[in-house]
Amino acid sequence: MAKLLSSRCGIQSVVPETYLLPPEQRPGELVAPPCKTIPVIDLEGDRNEVILEIIKASQEYGFFQLINHGVAEELMKDVLVVAKEFFDLPVEEKERFYSEDPHDQGCRLRTSIDFANEKFHFWRDSLRHLCHPLKDQIHHWPENPARYRGVFGPYSEEVRSLGLRVLDLICEGLGLESGYFKGGLSQGQLMIANYYPSCPNPNLVLGLPKHGDPHLITLLNQGYVPGLEVWNNEQWVAAEPIPNAFVVNINHKLQIISNGKLKSADHRVVTSTNVARTTVASFILPSTDTLIEPAKSLISELSPPLYKSFTSGDFDKIYVLDVHQGKDPLERFRIRS
């Protein structure tokens, strides 16, 4: 358990050698400028306008921020507080959730991404668990802090409802048949609470490396502490925190289903010398046996399929390996002309 950064806070005066990135991968001293151009979409706006804004943002950035989304501000704050309370627990309270298996689908706590196999580690601890159906998953979650299940339960249901609502708008915007994303394509929900401690030298490490998310969509509650950076127009730009907003991004499998019409943008997380950062990410994901392929209604003679068909589980098996090796997982499934 000494591997957990959250169990060593306050005693880490230098970056351990195993966390030092190769020079070409370090963020360095340059701070990415806050990006005022990442679209901010008001979900209470005119429905047709909202759909157009979501599709445009998903094509140009792969990211947008969502306001007036219906999830209570108090609940968004509470889930971040409770997540931090978990990471502040004594080691013995956390150790039963610890696992280094990147394919373990239970409620598990880990540091970095794949600690046992990666060449160098990332400056993050994370607690991840499935959320849907809630009644089947909640008993696997921590009982300490005492409020954990009482806060994360309602939060996961509200965020799932919001995620499905966004997928319905994307479905309409792409011209897919109504309900396209229901059933197996959106059967799962994964929640990850991330903790990025303050770092002695943020120039030498990353909280998370450059990557795209593997599922359908991500809804990130990033609170008020910056750290998320998006790769856009050949540069890193910071996704500026907006009070009570979700950062929404398109995932790899949704890019494939859209036949490349939507963009799964690469992003990373940088750290800070002065402040720790806690975030909670929710992912809508397909069941492992669900077929992932370009939607047939988006295929034509002028728009041939760009990707092969595969099961969601097949993609998940190679995703972590490719991210570690700096490869784009989508390339394995791209159809070469």
Side-chain angles (χ1 to χ4, degrees):
M1 288 297 290
K3 296 172 183 176
L4 285 174
L5 290 165
S6 56
S7 296
R8 291 185 276 155
C9 289
I11 62 172
Q12 204 74 61
S13 59
V14 297
V15 176
E17 186 175 351
T18 54
Y19 287 84
L20 295 175
L21 297 176
E24 68 276 7
Q25 296 184 34
R26 296 173 184 174
E29 296 181 2
L30 292 177
V31 177
C35 184
K36 301 293 186 182
T37 57
I38 291 179
V40 178
I41 299 175
D42 185 344
L43 203 54
E44 290 186 350
D46 176 79
R47 178 183 175 85
N48 291 332
E49 287 296 320
V50 168
I51 290 173
L52 290 174
E53 290 174 3
I54 287 176
I55 296 299
K56 183 178 180 182
S58 301
Q59 291 171 335
E60 296 182 2
Y61 295 92
F63 273 79
F64 54 91
Q65 300 215 49
L66 204 58
I67 61 173
N68 292 325
H69 42 67
V71 180
E73 182 176 0
E74 182 179 1
L75 187 56
M76 292 189 70
K77 290 179 178 177
D78 277 352
V79 78
L80 294 174
V81 170
V82 172
K84 179 60 165 56
E85 289 173 355
F86 173 84
F87 290 109
D88 285 343
L89 290 173
V91 171
E92 57 271 17
E93 291 284 346
K94 294 181 284 191
E95 63 183 357
R96 70 188 184 92
F97 295 103
Y98 186 74
S99 170
E100 291 183 0
D101 180 359
H103 303 293
D104 183 352
Q105 292 299 306
C107 181
R108 61 186 177 89
L109 172 66
R110 69 179 184 182
T111 189
S112 203
I113 296 179
D114 185 4
F115 196 93
N117 299 312
E118 61 198 14
K119 295 179 181 178
F120 39 81
H121 308 313
F122 297 98
W123 203 261
R124 177 192 73 150
D125 291 345
S126 66
L127 178 71
R128 57 182 56 214
H129 49 67
L130 299 174
C131 300
H132 184 76
L134 183 60
K135 63 180 177 61
D136 296 336
Q137 302 297 338
I138 195 170
H139 63 280
H140 297 297
W141 299 1
E143 294 181 273
N144 192 9
R147 293 199 305 149
Y148 191 95
R149 296 181 180 183
V151 171
F152 269 78
Y155 179 82
S156 67
E157 290 188 310
E158 289 203 29
V159 176
R160 176 174 173 81
S161 178
L162 175 61
L164 294 177
R165 182 180 174 190
V166 172
L167 283 172
D168 282 343
L169 296 172
I170 290 173
C171 177
E172 188 172 339
L174 288 174
L176 299 173
E177 56 268 31
S178 177
Y180 185 91
F181 291 109
K182 297 190 185 306
L185 279 175
S186 59
Q187 184 171 335
Q189 181 186 6
L190 172 68
M191 193 81 71
I192 303 181
N194 300 298
Y195 180 63
Y196 306 93
S198 58
C199 178
N201 194 336
N203 301 330
L204 305 179
V205 307
L206 283 172
L208 279 174
K210 182 179 180 180
H211 70 288
D213 293 341
H215 309 299
L216 284 186
I217 61 169
T218 306
L219 293 94
L220 174 70
N221 179 356
Q222 71 166 338
Y224 299 92
V225 180
L228 175 64
E229 295 185 351
V230 179
W231 186 248
N232 186 259
N233 290 329
E234 301 302 311
Q235 66 174 337
W236 289 109
V237 293
E240 186 176 16
I242 296 175
N244 199 36
F246 281 101
V247 180
V248 181
N249 66 283
I250 304 302
N251 291 188
H252 285 330
K253 290 168 189 172
L254 185 50
Q255 176 174 324
I256 290 168
I257 291 168
S258 75
N259 202 35
K261 291 179 170 57
L262 305 184
K263 171 184 177 182
S264 177
D266 285 331
H267 51 286
R268 69 180 186 181
V269 176
V270 297
T271 61
S272 168
T273 305
N274 302 317
V275 63
R277 181 170 182 259
T278 304
T279 68
V280 176
S282 179
F283 305 83
I284 303 295
L285 56 149
S287 59
T288 56
D289 58 350
T290 297
L291 190 67
I292 306 296
E293 62 183 356
K296 290 181 170 55
S297 60
L298 300 180
I299 302 302
S300 68
E301 186 175 345
L302 296 177
S303 181
L306 301 179
Y307 301 96
K308 305 171 186 175
S309 300
F310 56 91
T311 66
S312 182
D314 287 341
F315 186 93
D316 296 338
K317 290 176 184 176
I318 59 92
Y319 171 78
V320 172
L321 178 62
D322 280 354
V323 169
H324 280 330
Q325 296 179 351
K327 298 178 181 178
D328 181 358
L330 292 172
E331 288 302 310
R332 291 179 183 256
F333 303 97
R334 201 179 299 273
I335 295 175
R336 305 298 176 187
S337 55

